[in-house]
Amino acid sequence: MEVKLTLFSWNIRQGGGKRIYKQLEVISDLQPDVVALQEMTMHNVDQYAALLKDLGLNYVINTFALSKDPSKLIGPRRYGLLIASKWPFKLLNNFSIPWTERILGVEMDSPFGRIDIYNSHIPPGSSNGWIKIDTLEGIYNELACHPKIPRILCGDFNSPQLETKDGELITWGQRLHKDGTWRVSEKNKRWDEGERNVLKGLGEYDLRDVFFLVFDSGKRDFSFVLKRKDILFHRRFDHCFASKSLNPVAFEYLHNFREEKLSDHSPLVVKFNPEVNDHSDSKQSRIEVWENQKMEVPKVKLDKFTYLEGEFEIKK
């Protein structure tokens, strides 16, 4: 099995805290080419970035550095994203979502050609209501197109509610009825579609669930464990979607690091053996431009979103 590109994605839980150095040991041992982290905080992001550079991941960007008004990044918006890579990249950010810090995209210049990489952390619906669906819809609207170059979308999606043994995806917009069937009410139809469009629908645009590209449909796993009244609920919240031409050859959730309490999420590792692609001008000229360009805050589409604070009533 030849591996040319290794991606590591992890929700590090509340900025990492005192666990930062142990988390960095995990990354150091795995030696990934690209790292995507969720739940970064302004308090530790610079320290984390410096340590990642010490590991040879010299190109680092985070959502805090892109914010026009960091004073808003408090409370439920205190968490941001980070992408680190061995190879140079330029910023991508054309998403229209309520909290712009919850998606981070770069166009990376790899030895195999350009690759678009997106890191996301979808706000949980139980505490943030329709912001979750507005975020998912914004991501779908931007990525539901046939790409010219390969793409990767990864991160913590706080979805789905369940994947059944029969391979059925159950969203948080569905409810289990006494007859054993899962149903979507008219009220919850948009919620169901918002989750389903990203988790399944983007597959029509060459962003397929890598877990099921590597394993058959009967395989089940999880990345997060919710405990309620001594009952454990296993959720596969953390995902990686990728273009088929990137040729994923391995996928794994590293549960031991969650069990060691380095985070409440299991990190995921995906290994690719991509086809070589070249879609533009001289590679060297692109590297020079990207290394010398200043990362500017992108223009973000302004839109009205449908949620109201405190509107959401659906309970997990």
Side-chain angles (χ1 to χ4, degrees):
M1 178 182 68
E2 186 177 2
V3 176
K4 297 178 181 177
L5 189 160
T6 300
L7 170 76
F8 178 89
S9 177
W10 199 8
N11 180 325
I12 63 170
R13 189 182 183 184
Q14 300 177 357
K18 296 180 179 179
R19 296 164 279 118
I20 287 178
Y21 290 103
K22 288 188 177 295
Q23 290 175 348
L24 265 295
E25 286 180 8
V26 174
I27 297 173
S28 177
D29 290 343
L30 292 170
Q31 296 186 335
D33 302 297
V34 181
V35 170
L37 301 179
Q38 305 91 45
E39 282 203 23
M40 302 298 301
T41 62
M42 282 190 282
H43 176 70
N44 79 339
V45 68
D46 290 338
Q47 178 189 16
Y48 224 114
L51 293 170
L52 287 169
K53 288 181 179 180
D54 288 342
L55 299 180
L57 296 156
N58 294 316
Y59 303 92
V60 185
I61 189 171
N62 68 81
T63 49
F64 301 115
L66 303 174
S67 176
K68 290 183 177 180
D69 188 0
S71 66
K72 292 183 178 181
L73 304 183
I74 58 175
R77 295 189 64 176
R78 65 189 180 277
Y79 297 128
L81 303 167
L82 178 148
I83 293 177
S85 169
K86 290 181 178 179
W87 305 304
F89 52 67
K90 69 177 182 180
L91 180 67
L92 296 174
N93 196 332
N94 295 312
F95 295 89
S96 180
I97 61 175
W99 297 348
T100 55
E101 68 277 2
R102 290 306 183 96
I103 183 77
L104 178 62
V106 298
E107 183 184 301
M108 185 181 70
D109 189 80
S110 79
F112 327 106
R114 289 181 293 159
I115 302 172
D116 289 350
I117 298 179
Y118 301 95
N119 179 17
S120 182
H121 182 193
I122 307 301
S126 57
S127 54
N128 299 289
W130 287 97
I131 293 175
K132 176 177 184 175
I133 299 306
D134 283 316
T135 302
L136 288 167
E137 288 176 343
I139 290 174
Y140 179 77
N141 289 340
E142 181 63 27
L143 298 182
C145 60
H146 295 288
K148 294 181 179 179
I149 63 175
R151 304 183 293 179
I152 296 173
L153 169 65
C154 65
D156 174 7
F157 291 78
N158 277 300
S159 297
Q161 180 178 181
L162 178 68
E163 289 169 314
T164 70
K165 294 180 180 179
D166 297 328
E168 183 182 1
L169 185 148
I170 306 298
T171 72
W172 291 107
Q174 295 176 264
R175 293 293 173 267
L176 182 63
H177 288 250
K178 291 182 179 179
D179 62 1
T181 61
W182 291 90
R183 303 179 198 170
V184 181
S185 68
E186 190 62 31
K187 176 183 177 182
N188 295 346
K189 185 177 180 180
R190 180 181 160 228
W191 190 280
D192 177 77
E193 290 179 349
E195 291 188 35
R196 197 173 297 279
N197 280 344
V198 170
L199 298 179
K200 291 288 189 180
L202 286 177
E204 298 180 15
Y205 301 96
D206 201 27
L207 274 173
R208 309 180 189 189
D209 190 331
V210 175
F211 183 81
F212 292 119
L213 284 177
V214 173
F215 302 108
D216 61 45
S217 59
K219 172 77 173 180
R220 292 293 172 266
D221 210 332
F222 60 94
S223 62
F224 182 83
V225 180
L226 179 66
K227 185 176 182 179
R228 289 180 178 172
K229 296 182 179 180
D230 297 324
I231 300 176
L232 299 181
F233 297 89
H234 295 79
R235 311 293 189 197
R236 195 168 76 93
F237 283 167
D238 301 84
H239 302 275
C240 178
F241 308 93
S243 298
K244 188 177 181 181
S245 65
L246 292 175
N247 189 24
V249 293
F251 185 109
E252 185 177 6
Y253 291 109
L254 306 179
H255 297 301
N256 53 311
F257 301 120
R258 175 183 48 80
E259 293 165 355
E260 293 171 11
K261 302 188 184 305
L262 296 188
S263 174
D264 53 351
H265 287 251
S266 300
L268 65 86
V269 176
V270 186
K271 296 183 178 182
F272 299 92
N273 182 13
E275 301 171 4
V276 176
N277 68 82
D278 188 6
H279 298 85
S280 68
D281 49 334
S282 163
K283 174 181 173 182
Q284 183 58 37
S285 65
R286 295 199 307 272
I287 293 176
E288 290 172 355
V289 169
W290 294 355
E291 288 184 335
N292 293 328
Q293 77 171 11
K294 183 177 181 180
M295 288 289 187
E296 296 180 355
V297 178
K299 293 181 179 179
V300 179
K301 299 174 186 174
L302 297 178
D303 222 341
K304 290 184 178 180
F305 299 101
T306 56
Y307 71 90
L308 295 173
E309 296 292 338
E311 174 188 9
F312 187 60
E313 298 295 337
I314 296 177
K315 302 293 184 183
K316 286 187 178 182

